[in-house]
Amino acid sequence: VLRAVSGQAGQLYRFDDAVAFARRAVAADDTVAGPHADLGQFLLRTGDEAAARTALETAFKIDPYDTVVFNLLQMLDTLDKYTTVEASPFIFKFPADQAAVLKTYAVPLAQAAYDEYKARYAFTPAGPILIEIFDTHDSFAVRTAGLPGIVGALGACFGRVIAMDSPKARPPGDFSWQATLWHEIRSEEHTSEL
């Protein structure tokens, strides 16, 4: 029952509530992999990647055949190699080989979008806002859905966490990463109100 309630909270973008119920599900029976995996996924959506890794590693020890958990742990290993740039209210994670260029453009663009929507909606989201820009589309897909191969999505917003493709993740001219970032920050303004 607690897993079901946690999952429903997650579907409603109430990730802090989803984490709380997932923690209760883990406490009810810590020998089952599923509640640990749920907790890890919801912690990822709140931006608590260290705690998410712990929950996912526990799930993987119990069930080493869970493909989603395996993928998420590999994605976290990839993020460990990324360059982190703090620019309040944002924390950016860029592929190391693209960080110098991306931060030059992404930081001011994100700040402009944030300022515009903050003024338009008279709302200041709780921060910090984590923005992860992935150099492969499948890494973005795993961050978003736990599996590679997601079609049609360029970015995703989970309240105070935004994940998206970098310009290198798609063929040149295939999409505007700037428009995607702007759109996801707008989504952040809306989902943070939930």
Side-chain angles (χ1 to χ4, degrees):
V1 170
L2 292 168
R3 280 190 78 191
V5 173
S6 178
Q8 185 63 39
Q11 287 180 344
L12 296 172
Y13 278 65
R14 299 182 63 98
F15 298 116
D16 292 320
D17 293 334
V19 166
F21 282 109
R23 286 189 195 281
R24 290 178 58 192
V26 166
D29 187 353
D30 68 353
T31 65
V32 179
H36 292 284
D38 295 345
L39 177 59
Q41 288 182 331
F42 293 131
L43 285 165
L44 281 173
R45 292 181 177 183
T46 65
D48 190 348
E49 292 175 345
R53 180 183 289 280
T54 300
L56 292 167
E57 286 174 347
T58 301
F60 193 70
K61 285 177 188 169
I62 297 167
D63 179 7
Y65 299 103
D66 186 320
T67 304
V68 170
V69 170
F70 177 79
N71 289 343
L72 290 171
L73 287 169
Q74 280 195 317
M75 181 271 306
L76 285 170
D77 290 343
T78 298
L79 280 174
D80 286 345
K81 298 172 190 149
Y82 276 33
T83 299
T84 301
V85 175
E86 295 188 27
S88 184
F90 303 105
I91 298 171
F92 289 88
K93 290 192 178 183
F94 299 115
D97 64 336
Q98 299 175 48
V101 172
L102 281 175
K103 74 178 181 182
T104 302
Y105 298 100
V107 172
L109 179 66
Q111 190 62 55
Y114 178 87
D115 292 343
E116 178 176 321
Y117 292 120
K118 181 178 163 186
R120 181 183 299 177
Y121 298 114
F123 175 77
T124 303
I129 299 163
L130 176 61
I131 300 176
E132 296 172 338
I133 301 180
F134 291 93
D135 59 353
T136 66
H137 181 70
D138 280 344
S139 292
F140 156 72
V142 168
R143 178 63 165 97
T144 303
L147 296 169
I150 193 170
V151 176
L154 303 169
C157 177
F158 302 105
R160 57 186 181 269
V161 176
I162 294 171
M164 61 177 282
D165 282 337
S166 82
K168 193 175 179 180
R170 299 271 188 165
D174 194 48
F175 82 113
S176 169
W177 71 270
Q178 298 98 326
T180 302
L181 178 59
W182 190 278
H183 169 80
E184 296 307 334
I185 289 172
R186 181 174 188 269
S187 297
E188 186 276 329
E189 296 283 339
H190 289 293
T191 57
S192 291
E193 294 180 69
L194 295 176

